[in-house]
């Protein structure tokens, strides 16, 4: 994973980490996260495939993610510690 990929993951995981445990999936906004649309889609797909969120929704090029799963918390901690 490149430095850019790492920072993209941290941005999305950090956002999800601030959600309440029972929160519904929240849409990801590329501009708010400081990511390009392609970067957001690629990174979100990568994290969803790895089970980083308790819930997620993908529709019409929109990603929405719920709170972090245990896997997501561990991945965020690992990325921040490196």
């Amino acid at each position: 994973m490149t430095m850019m990929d790492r920072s993209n993951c941290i941005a999305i995981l950090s956002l999800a980490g601030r959600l309440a445990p029972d929160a519904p999936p929240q849409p990801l906004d590329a501009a708010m996260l400081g990511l390009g649309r392609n970067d957001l889609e690629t990174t979100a797909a990568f994290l969803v495939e790895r089970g980083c969120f308790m819930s997620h929704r993908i529709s019409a090029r929109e990603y929405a993610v719920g709170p972090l799963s245990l896997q997501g918390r561990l991945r965020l901690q690992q990325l921040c510690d490196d």
Side-chain angles (χ1 to χ4, degrees), residues 1-2 9-11 16 25 27-29 31-35 40 42 45 53 56 59 65-67 74-75 78 81:
M1 185 179 310
T2 66
C9 287
I10 290 171
L28 296 176
D29 181 330
M32 183 189 78
L33 293 168
L35 305 175
L40 178 128
T42 301
F53 309 104
H56 69 278
S59 63
V65 299
L74 293 172
R75 188 170 292 275
Q78 177 187 30
D81 289 345

Side-chain angles (χ1 to χ4, degrees), residues 9-54:
C9 287
I10 290 171
I12 293 173
L13 291 171
S14 294
L15 175 74
R18 292 190 295 268
L19 297 175
D22 58 348
Q26 302 296 308
L28 296 176
D29 181 330
M32 183 189 78
L33 293 168
L35 305 175
R37 186 73 193 158
N38 288 339
D39 289 336
L40 178 128
E41 290 177 2
T42 301
T43 305
F46 173 84
L47 295 170
V48 165
E49 288 172 2
R50 282 149 186 82
C52 291
F53 309 104
M54 293 174 66

